[in-house]
Amino acid sequence: VVRDDDGNGPAGHSSRLVHVSGSDALTTKPTAGSPVHVVVGATSGIGREVAIRLARRGPVLLVGRRRDVAEELAAELGPDATAASCDLSDSDAVTELAQRIPRLGALVVTAALSPLAADPRTIIDVNLGGVARLVDAFAPAVSEGSVGVCFATITAHTERPSPDLLHALDHPLAS
């Protein structure tokens, strides 16, 4: 038991932020009885492939940067697939998203920003902070059989990190 988007970046990694705002983040609310699989970064690459496979195993929430793309995938996958968007840098939006899932099946996070998509501070806020927010927010929905898989990015493994990235890594929570 684990307690604790679109477009592709280098080597096929997702390279864009996902967004959620407002109370209309989900088109429908999953039922309380069945576990719901949540795939953050579901609209492309690895996340899309995982979402397609998890949809065969039960209800799935597809979270993508662009809700319209998530909705298109949900329509392809059938009535047990629901679309949402979420800003991973917004704690309230992540909490709101998680509160709509009464029982978690799998939490799979593939969403991340690449150095081409954002500044170093935003990358750390989303790629590190966003994953931490998701894990914390979904913890109350974890039950026996819940699993979590978070894919990392290669952003931290560049040959010559920029001075801005090094500063952001030294001071991850500074404004």
Side-chain angles (χ1 to χ4, degrees), residues 27-28 42-43 48 51-52 55 60-63 66-84:
T27 54
T28 62
T43 57
R48 181 182 174 88
I52 290 167
V60 64
L61 172 60
L62 311 168
V63 183
R66 290 187 43 213
R67 184 168 176 173
D68 60 324
V69 178
E71 287 173 342
E72 288 174 16
L73 179 57
E76 289 175 30
L77 296 178
D80 283 343
T82 305

Side-chain angles (χ1 to χ4, degrees), residues 86 90-100 133 136-138:
C86 184
D90 181 343
S91 294
D92 292 336
V94 172
T95 298
E96 179 182 334
L97 179 73
Q99 288 175 341
R100 299 191 180 230
R133 287 180 200 97
D136 289 346
F138 279 95

Side-chain angles (χ1 to χ4, degrees), residues 88-161:
L88 297 182
S89 67
D90 181 343
S91 294
D92 292 336
V94 172
T95 298
E96 179 182 334
L97 179 73
Q99 288 175 341
R100 299 191 180 230
I101 303 301
R103 187 168 159 225
L104 184 65
L107 172 62
V108 179
V109 182
T110 65
L113 294 172
S114 78
L116 302 174
D119 63 273
R121 181 147 326 277
T122 303
I123 291 170
I124 290 171
D125 190 31
V126 171
N127 296 9
L128 178 63
V131 171
R133 287 180 200 97
L134 285 163
V135 169
D136 289 346
F138 279 95
V142 170
S143 63
E144 185 174 338
S146 294
V147 297
V149 179
C150 300
F151 288 84
T153 70
I154 61 171
T155 300
H157 302 285
T158 58
E159 188 174 320
R160 292 183 180 180

